[in-house]
Amino acid sequence: MSDSYSKDTNNLRKILPALAIAFAFAAVAFSLPLDQTDAAPTSGTCGDGVVWNFDGDTHTISVTYTGSGTGRMVDLDDPNKSDYAYLWSNIDNIVFGEGVTYVGACAFEGFGAKTITLSSTIVELGNASLAHNDVTELDLKNVDTIGRMAIYDCEKLTSIDISSKVKTIGDYAFDMCFALESVDTSDATSLVSIGHSAFVATALTSFYVPATVTSLGTGIFVECFDLPAIDVDDANPNYIDVDGVVYDTDMTTVLLYPPARACSVYEIPDSVTTLAQAAFATGYKIGAVTIPDTITVITDNAFEKCTALKTIKIPATVTSIGEYAFASCEGIESVDFSGTTVLQSIGNGAFLDNIKLKTMDIPASVTFIGMRAFAACSELQYIAIDSSNPNYVTVDGILYDKKMENLMQFPGGCNMTSFTIPSTVTSVDINSFSNLKYLQSLTFPDSVTNISDATTTHPGFSMSPLVKISIGNGLKTVGAHPFIDHDFFDKDGKGLQQTVKNLKGHTFVGVDAHHMIMDDSKPSEGFPLWAIVVIVIVVLVAIIGIAMWKRSR
């Protein structure tokens, strides 16, 4: 899983899909002429033997079975493609009749319904089928399969009972159900699988894993900031919990660390050889962690947003640090690589947004450093790398590839106020200049042909101290919006898109922290020689002319 588990990211994930759905539905409604809107259908088909009817008096849409067919609703890839999409803001209640067996993918995503009544014949909820609704309760009755994101972002839902019928809880099924305090699995005697990120950002205070569960996804309880422990049934043959932390039964893999579990120092047992993806993510009460030499890979998101961590010692046995492994660990001040001789890979965003990290010493053995590995580290003063490293080099604490053709990271806390990129550089990852603290002037030479797009996958991106940006004449390609927190204007104050045409060969000066106006004026360097020669010639010609004029008189 490469998506962020930060709270800011989840807020974006919450807002943007809802807005997109709202605008999409609004577009459908407003695209109809008035006479067509008035005559818009109040009923229609929506599956195999399944029809819908809308009652405007009660603001209720009913989904019923005709008596023939499978009773399955159709799957949609976009909720505004349904015939009833124009009703999205008018539906308060959704009622499914007996005989309906399946709620189609995206069928009622984003409708904001206050009540949803499932019939006893419904056995499956399709992907995102009931997501983004305003229900406070939901009776699953005889549902056996809860699809991916099926009840995602139902932020008013407070509790749910997982019945003896339920076999599968899909990925992100209850993700961002912020008010969800209780999930009762005590009767879930058929439950086999709980998917990735199934309960992310919920208000759970406890959770019980039944004996029947054979598959647990990764990051199930990320950002469950009230969850201090996870209880696994003693009879479960696949998983155990030790003091509320979930392992496989052999204790070779750490699977799930409950985010609210307080621990000054957590020592991972020596029996452990594998950290599951996002195993400790958002464990905001872990003061320190001891990683044993039995670990060779620190997986993606493994310790993301463990904000109380202050130092990390990378074992000598580790060969790879995964994507966003320590991202948004806002308390980390140092990373100890001493004795590390086999580390080969540091993944994308591995130490992204470590706002207290001051220095980074990269071992000679590292052959791959991903994009944004040290981005948004506002206190990072320099990056050092062993001179024998065959792939990377640092100059003045700035990280480049060995040939110095790619600028990979300008430390956010570097005390330079003005920086001209070396003329060997042809490509710049603009994210390498994120969360700057001192840099005010940045010059791209003519050698730079490519400037990447900025990314907002994780928080922390900022170039706000920059008040002067100069772009050379060699620019050929540029990302969609590389200087993401700056708006560009021409000399007349007209807004400019950040395209090659508008950026190439121009200098922009900031009127404030976020607004840049084109200013291509250059400071005077005195008269060039050719201009002096021309002036002398003009003066001599004038003198001779005047002399000849006087003689002729």
Side-chain angles (χ1 to χ4, degrees):
M1 141 187 6
S2 61
D3 52 313
S4 167
Y5 289 115
S6 69
K7 200 68 176 177
D8 292 337
T9 303
N10 270 332
N11 286 337
L12 282 175
R13 290 167 58 206
K14 172 184 179 295
I15 294 169
L16 293 180
L19 286 177
I21 291 167
F23 281 123
F25 284 156
V28 171
F30 287 113
S31 65
L32 294 172
L34 288 177
D35 57 342
Q36 290 188 27
T37 302
D38 293 339
T42 57
S43 64
T45 60
C46 56
D48 185 12
V50 184
V51 296
W52 65 273
N53 292 273
F54 177 65
D55 184 341
D57 293 332
T58 60
H59 298 276
T60 299
I61 189 168
S62 300
V63 180
T64 56
Y65 180 54
T66 62
S68 62
T70 61
R72 290 177 62 88
M73 293 184 70
V74 296
D75 285 326
L76 303 171
D77 59 9
D78 188 334
N80 76 326
K81 291 183 178 180
S82 68
D83 292 339
Y84 47 82
Y86 74 98
L87 294 167
W88 70 277
S89 62
N90 293 315
I91 294 177
D92 289 338
N93 312 293
I94 302 171
V95 178
F96 295 90
E98 295 297 315
V100 178
T101 58
Y102 170 71
V103 183
C106 300
F108 293 101
E109 181 185 2
F111 278 71
K114 296 178 177 61
T115 69
I116 297 175
T117 304
L118 301 178
S119 64
S120 63
T121 53
I122 290 178
V123 294
E124 183 177 358
L125 303 180
N127 295 344
S129 54
L130 302 176
H132 303 295
N133 281 288
D134 291 336
V135 293
T136 57
E137 58 185 7
L138 183 65
D139 186 351
L140 296 175
K141 292 188 171 66
N142 291 319
V143 170
D144 63 34
T145 301
I146 302 171
R148 186 178 190 274
M149 298 177 67
I151 311 173
Y152 170 85
D153 193 27
C154 289
E155 61 181 42
K156 296 182 180 179
L157 184 66
T158 58
S159 64
I160 197 83
D161 290 342
I162 305 298
S163 72
S164 61
K165 302 288 185 179
V166 175
K167 298 176 182 177
T168 302
I169 299 174
D171 298 347
Y172 307 98
F174 295 92
D175 182 8
M176 293 172 62
C177 292
F178 298 118
L180 186 60
E181 297 179 346
S182 172
V183 175
D184 188 351
T185 56
S186 59
D187 293 327
T189 53
S190 299
L191 185 60
V192 173
S193 174
I194 302 175
H196 303 303
S197 306
F199 296 98
V200 166
T202 57
L204 290 175
T205 57
S206 64
F207 193 88
Y208 164 71
V209 179
T212 52
V213 173
T214 60
S215 176
L216 288 174
T218 58
I220 292 174
F221 304 108
V222 164
E223 291 196 357
C224 293
F225 295 120
D226 297 313
L227 183 65
I230 303 162
D231 179 23
V232 179
D233 193 287
D234 292 339
N236 190 299
N238 302 288
Y239 306 107
I240 61 172
D241 77 89
V242 178
D243 297 326
V245 181
V246 180
Y247 296 82
D248 65 344
T249 49
D250 295 329
M251 287 193 69
T252 59
T253 302
V254 184
L255 294 161
L256 302 165
Y257 187 98
R261 185 183 187 277
C263 184
S264 57
V265 179
Y266 188 76
E267 296 187 7
I268 299 173
D270 290 339
S271 61
V272 172
T273 59
T274 304
L275 305 178
Q277 191 171 349
F280 293 87
T282 69
Y284 70 104
K285 291 187 176 183
I286 307 174
V289 63
T290 301
I291 305 172
D293 288 342
T294 51
I295 299 293
T296 58
V297 175
I298 298 177
T299 48
D300 295 352
N301 312 98
F303 296 94
E304 184 174 355
K305 201 150 184 164
C306 290
T307 53
L309 291 178
K310 292 184 178 180
T311 62
I312 286 293
K313 174 70 171 74
I314 305 298
T317 52
V318 169
T319 62
S320 174
I321 298 175
E323 295 187 358
Y324 307 105
F326 296 96
S328 298
C329 289
E330 298 175 351
I332 288 182
E333 298 177 0
S334 64
V335 180
D336 184 358
F337 287 108
S338 60
T340 303
T341 59
V342 296
L343 180 64
Q344 298 176 3
S345 175
I346 300 176
N348 294 341
F351 295 94
L352 175 76
D353 198 28
N354 281 204
I355 59 174
K356 291 185 179 180
L357 185 63
K358 292 179 172 59
T359 62
M360 176 60 64
D361 294 288
I362 301 171
S365 58
V366 173
T367 58
F368 174 80
I369 299 174
M371 294 179 62
R372 304 179 300 280
F374 313 108
C377 297
S378 57
E379 295 294 329
L380 185 61
Q381 299 166 6
Y382 71 86
I383 299 169
I385 193 162
D386 193 289
S387 60
S388 63
N389 190 291
N391 295 291
Y392 303 102
V393 65
T394 57
V395 177
D396 296 328
I398 301 164
L399 179 65
Y400 303 86
D401 69 331
K402 195 70 171 182
K403 294 181 179 180
M404 289 188 66
E405 293 177 348
N406 296 289
L407 192 155
M408 301 186 63
Q409 186 63 58
F410 184 96
C414 176
N415 61 9
M416 293 184 189
T417 58
S418 178
F419 178 63
T420 297
I421 295 170
S423 59
T424 56
V425 173
T426 60
S427 182
V428 175
D429 176 12
I430 200 62
N431 300 285
S432 64
F433 288 95
S434 60
N435 221 10
L436 303 170
K437 190 171 183 180
Y438 300 107
L439 190 65
Q440 298 178 20
S441 176
L442 177 61
T443 299
F444 294 80
D446 291 344
S447 62
V448 173
T449 59
N450 174 65
I451 301 175
S452 75
D453 196 8
T455 179
T456 55
T457 302
H458 283 72
F461 188 93
S462 172
M463 300 178 73
S464 58
L466 280 178
V467 292
K468 184 178 181 181
I469 300 172
S470 298
I471 312 291
N473 287 303
L475 191 64
K476 294 179 180 178
T477 58
V478 68
H481 200 81
F483 303 100
I484 197 166
D485 60 352
H486 285 75
D487 294 320
F488 283 63
F489 301 88
D490 64 14
K491 297 174 184 178
D492 299 321
K494 180 181 178 181
L496 294 174
Q497 290 186 340
Q498 295 178 22
T499 62
V500 171
K501 179 181 178 181
N502 291 336
L503 296 178
K504 181 179 178 179
H506 294 297
T507 294
F508 297 87
V509 176
V511 294
D512 58 36
H514 300 287
H515 297 81
M516 310 292 285
I517 293 181
M518 188 183 293
D519 180 6
D520 294 337
S521 60
K522 294 180 174 58
S524 172
E525 298 176 355
F527 281 102
L529 180 61
W530 65 266
I532 295 174
V533 172
V534 169
I535 291 171
V536 169
I537 292 172
V538 169
V539 170
L540 288 174
V541 169
I543 292 172
I544 293 171
I546 292 171
M548 292 178 65
W549 176 75
K550 287 182 177 180
R551 182 177 299 177
S552 66
R553 294 187 65 186

